[in-house]
Amino acid sequence: MTTLNDAPTTSRPGRPPVVDRATWQAARDELLVREKAHTRAGDALAADRRRLPMVELAPDVQVVGPGGPVPFRDLFQGRDELVVYKHMWHDGAPHQGQCEGCTVTAWQQKDAVYLNARGVSFAILTTGPWDEVAPYVDFMGYTQPWYSVRGLDEPVGGEMGHLTCFLRDGDRVYLTYDTTGRGTEVADSSFGLLDLTPYGRGEAWQDNPDGWPEGNGPCWYWRADADGNAGWGPTTRPVPQWTRPGATAVDTLGRHGHHH
């Protein structure tokens, strides 16, 4: 046991009450009822998601990968289902200037072995030109398939920052589902873990107990400088980049306009 038997039962400044284990368990059990309801509601949404109508893609859609243009259906790698993440891109920017939010997602999806075992392929699409994308993928050490969809319309190209699902039936391919914004958090396991912790994500929008540390702006921890200080200044990189060989201190993001 790590709790103290003589812990005070009154609230400490700025913190929830400190109680004995039995009182904590009763409160935890009450919250669990709501968590189970939330889970069942998610299951019902997933059931409806599986019943969405589908849109057939044109059979001649091609994307660009390491070997040049390939038919989009090749991304299925012989499987029937495909999930793609559409990675935003800053044209001409150095590695540290690429999208920090998309880096958060792509970094947590480096290995699709469990999806593959379930018959689902995974790939990352981006509007960046392949001659810029290839060295970035190499720098990040990514092993998941990447493709450029520059100039293509939705649902393969178009707006980035989406998770999109497709179904293959022979040579025919169908769009089945698409989400963006916080809908993409299903691919970011760290968000769910942070939501379990006492301080959560540490963002200002959170509903926190009185006296809890004040939150920062949304996603404030996605970038950091060479000393590990979180922020979005010109000396920062997306946090995972500091783990990469050759990642050095920077003095600019090198961005030119908005990402695609």
Side-chain angles (χ1 to χ4, degrees):
M1 291 290 291
T2 58
T3 55
L4 299 176
N5 293 331
D6 58 351
T9 57
T10 57
S11 177
R12 293 176 179 174
R15 301 195 177 192
V18 177
V19 298
D20 59 55
R21 179 58 187 264
T23 303
W24 175 88
Q25 188 64 58
R28 175 68 190 95
D29 291 344
E30 182 179 349
L31 181 62
L32 181 60
V33 173
R34 296 168 56 202
E35 288 179 336
K36 291 296 185 182
H38 178 77
T39 298
R40 288 191 291 272
D43 291 342
L45 280 173
D48 290 342
R49 193 177 294 124
R50 290 189 289 271
R51 290 167 172 78
L52 282 173
M54 303 189 299
V55 177
E56 186 170 4
L57 274 62
D60 58 349
V61 174
Q62 292 189 323
V63 297
V64 178
V70 296
F72 181 71
R73 63 178 175 272
D74 284 9
L75 275 60
F76 286 81
Q77 299 176 319
R79 301 182 179 95
D80 291 339
E81 298 175 279
L82 170 69
V83 177
V84 303
Y85 180 70
K86 300 169 76 172
H87 195 294
M88 297 176 186
W89 193 262
H90 291 273
D91 283 354
H95 299 331
Q96 71 268 16
Q98 294 305 331
C99 179
E100 47 285 313
C102 291
T103 303
V104 168
T105 300
W107 188 256
Q108 295 178 83
Q109 298 299 319
K110 289 187 293 183
D111 191 335
V113 61
Y114 288 108
L115 290 176
N116 295 164
R118 182 57 185 78
V120 180
S121 291
F122 179 80
I124 295 182
L125 311 180
T126 183
T127 53
W130 186 251
D131 61 348
E132 292 184 13
V133 173
Y136 178 76
V137 172
D138 182 64
F139 167 72
M140 294 299 296
Y142 288 139
T143 58
Q144 70 271 67
W146 279 63
Y147 296 91
S148 172
V149 293
R150 197 172 187 85
L152 296 181
D153 295 329
E154 294 181 347
V156 175
E159 186 179 70
M160 298 288 102
H162 288 236
L163 275 172
T164 310
C165 300
F166 300 90
L167 178 68
R168 182 180 68 87
D169 183 4
D171 289 336
R172 304 178 76 173
V173 174
Y174 304 89
L175 165 70
T176 63
Y177 182 71
D178 179 83
T179 187
T180 188
R182 293 192 62 185
T184 65
E185 288 183 0
V186 296
D188 301 315
S189 59
S190 62
F191 290 140
L193 292 175
L194 285 172
D195 287 342
L196 299 181
T197 65
Y199 292 155
R201 306 185 192 191
E203 299 182 1
W205 60 267
Q206 292 178 178
D207 183 357
N208 289 330
D210 292 340
W212 230 229
E214 291 188 9
N216 294 304
C219 317
W220 61 273
Y221 45 88
W222 287 2
R223 302 189 70 94
D225 63 20
D227 295 321
N229 300 307
W232 286 58
T235 64
T236 64
R237 289 179 178 272
V239 169
Q241 289 192 6
W242 292 112
T243 70
R244 302 307 303 151
T248 58
V250 295
D251 57 15
T252 178
L253 300 187
R255 292 179 178 175
H256 309 286
H258 194 264
H259 55 66
H260 295 270

